[in-house]
Structure formats: C-alpha cells, structure tokens
Amino acid sequence: MRIEDHVAKAQSIERSLARCTAADYETVIEAAMLAGTHWFNIVLHRTNVLSTEHDAMHAEFLSAHDRRKVEATAPAALRSLDDIERLRTPYVRGNMPGGEQAAARAFACLARLREEALRDTGS
Amino acid sequence: MKIASHIEKFERLDAVRRRLDPVADTELWIWTAMTACTHLLNAALHRCGVTEEFDSFHSQVEGQYAIPDRDKGTLSEAQHRPGDLMHVDQPPVERRKPPAVERACTALKIIEDLREAHVRGNQPIADGAAGQWERAYAQCVAELSAALGISVAAAR
C-alpha cells in the first residue's frame, strides 16, 4: 500500500484507540499492533526492504532475509513491533496478570513506531 | 483458556466494541468484534466438547500454545491438541460442531474476512455494509450465547 495510505490507516486506528484507556488492555494491544504495523510498513517501504506492492502483516513473519535488513536499517522500529506482538498471547489471547502495564508498554512502543515512520517521511 | 476466562474476555472486549462505531472506527470495530467472538467461540467449543479446556493460550503460530506457570508468572511453549482456536478452523478441529456453533462460525467468518479489505487495506465501505457486519456479530453472539446458556445483549 502507498505510504500516504498507511499514514491514513495508522492515524484512523489511533483516533479509535483514543476511546480506550489502559484498562481496555486487550484492545489497546491489538490497536497498537494494527496501527504499529502500518507505521512499520512505512519504514519498510522508505528503506526499500519491501516495495509498496508488498506489505508486512506481522514483523515475526518477515523472511529471515528481510528481518536482517530491517535490523540493520531500522532496529528500533523492529524491536518496538516485536515487543507489541509479544504482548498478544499472554494478555489478549490469554489472561496473565499485568494487563494495564502491558497496555502502557504497547502505547510506548506505538509512539516509537510512529516517531520512526514520521521521521522517515519528514512529516 | 478456561471457559469462564473466555467469557470474561468476551465481555471486556464487547464493552469496548459498544463504544466504537463500525464506520468511524472501522478497523478497531472489526478487530475487536472478531477478537470478542473468537473468545466466545472458544468457550462454546470447549463446552460442547469439540475442543478441550486447557489453561493455555494460543500463540501467533497455528497449533502452538503458551502454557502459564501461575506461580512463577512465566510462559512456556508447547504443542497440544486444540485447545483454543486462533481463528475459525485455525487450527482445524476433528470433531463435528453442533449446528448452532457452525452457524456462529459462518457469521464470525464474515467478520474475519473483512481484515484484508478494511483493516490492512483501505477499500471503501459499501452502502449498508456496516449494518451487515453488525448483524453478523449479533448472530454470532446470539448463537454462541445460546450454546453456552448465558445471556448477552450484544446487538445494538
């Protein structure tokens, strides 16, 4: 998808996310994953890891080759999306204690992904 | 997860979904509706014996589970028979589902299939489509609630 379309989708999801608090941690984590993946795709397209014809669905499903390229070009973005993805099994699909702290972590990682993507676009 | 935990998750997610609008909050409405219904589906599948009620959580990899150590607060990975599903028929189940649960799965699949077009992609929403999504959600919840013998006022 085109970079400007990823920006619009990420911002749309973040507007909806604004209706949630850390108490809604399952939705916060999922929204951070969804918006964060759109921000992450901007980074991938800007750094030519993937063309706009090929979007990443989940960071952990990138090929080993593409992951190594992102680790070299945008390690903070990759680490942030990986961190969000790791919260899904214990706090969205599962019921481990500490959901609100996990939501705070998801918010922080999403902010980092947004910063990385917008720095790339110069917005 | 255990049946009671799935129902609690459903109720928490459904409460958020009620604050969202399927047109203004398209992406998060779709995702929250799907996640809520998946928890309710897992509860119903456990209750009718199609899948087993384990204290484990489905991971991002089909058929792979995280097993909690409740005392230590840690997770370990394992593969076992279902267990929780991640999505409809992911992982596939061997036992036949009751008709009401099959109907719920058909309704949930309508919501799952919106992801590519409207969450990951940016296709416009056709006139009347959001109403169809809400009806699919309501039907899924109604079928599963009946299967579980619980009362949920999901439709709005």
Side-chain angles (χ1 to χ4, degrees):
Chain A
M1 199 158 69
R2 297 180 310 171
I3 285 173
E4 54 266 40
D5 294 330
H6 283 300
V7 171
K9 292 300 276 188
Q11 290 177 336
S12 172
I13 295 165
E14 291 192 357
R15 279 194 297 274
S16 301
L17 174 58
R19 298 172 187 266
C20 302
T21 69
D24 307 310
Y25 50 85
E26 297 94 346
T27 308
V28 169
I29 291 166
E30 293 298 85
M33 180 275 293
L34 295 170
T37 301
H38 281 293
W39 292 128
F40 185 65
N41 272 302
I42 292 169
V43 173
L44 296 180
H45 299 333
R46 285 285 181 193
T47 55
N48 295 315
V49 172
L50 290 179
S51 75
T52 55
E53 303 297 312
H54 298 94
D55 291 341
M57 189 186 299
H58 294 291
E60 64 190 302
F61 293 163
L62 283 172
S63 70
H65 178 255
D66 288 340
R67 271 192 75 93
R68 289 185 70 170
K69 286 202 284 188
V70 190
E71 281 166 0
T73 56
L78 180 61
R79 194 163 51 244
S80 294
L81 190 53
D82 278 344
D83 283 353
I84 294 170
E85 296 268 14
R86 271 194 289 271
L87 300 172
R88 301 180 71 208
T89 294
Y91 302 106
V92 181
R93 299 191 185 107
N95 61 348
M96 293 298 274
E100 294 200 20
Q101 291 85 353
R105 178 74 184 147
F107 275 125
C109 290
L110 178 59
R112 186 64 190 268
L113 278 155
R114 185 190 318 117
E115 180 186 315
E116 293 280 322
L118 293 179
R119 186 172 61 200
D120 277 349
T121 61
S123 300
Chain B
M1 268 199 313
K2 300 289 187 179
I3 290 172
S5 301
H6 282 301
I7 293 172
E8 184 183 348
K9 283 282 182 185
F10 164 78
E11 289 171 342
R12 288 176 49 77
L13 288 155
D14 185 61
V16 175
R17 183 202 62 85
R18 290 165 190 264
R19 303 204 296 265
L20 302 173
D21 180 271
V23 176
D25 305 297
T26 302
E27 301 89 355
L28 208 50
W29 188 95
I30 290 169
W31 209 268
T32 305
M34 176 187 73
T35 309
C37 283
T38 303
H39 276 295
L40 207 56
L41 173 63
N42 275 313
L45 289 171
H46 297 339
R47 174 66 57 79
C48 67
V50 171
T51 57
E52 289 192 52
E53 184 184 26
F54 296 113
D55 186 18
S56 66
F57 321 141
H58 202 287
S59 75
Q60 189 66 22
V61 179
E62 186 174 312
Q64 183 122 344
Y65 293 87
I67 314 285
D69 182 323
R70 299 287 182 181
D71 292 329
K72 294 179 181 171
T74 57
L75 295 172
S76 58
E77 291 191 354
Q79 289 188 335
H80 59 65
R81 62 189 178 278
D84 292 350
L85 306 190
M86 179 168 48
H87 295 296
V88 172
D89 292 330
Q90 288 183 253
V93 293
E94 292 178 0
R95 301 181 75 172
R96 190 167 184 174
K97 304 181 198 87
V101 178
E102 282 285 8
R103 290 193 294 273
C105 287
T106 301
L108 175 51
K109 196 75 173 59
I110 290 171
I111 298 170
E112 289 184 353
D113 288 347
L114 300 171
R115 288 173 294 170
E116 282 310 305
H118 300 295
V119 180
R120 300 190 178 106
N122 60 349
Q123 287 185 24
I125 301 171
D127 288 345
Q132 293 172 1
W133 307 346
E134 289 184 306
R135 285 191 290 278
Y137 182 84
Q139 185 194 355
C140 182
V141 172
E143 299 280 9
L144 295 174
S145 299
L148 285 160
I150 61 173
S151 175
V152 176
R156 65 171 182 178

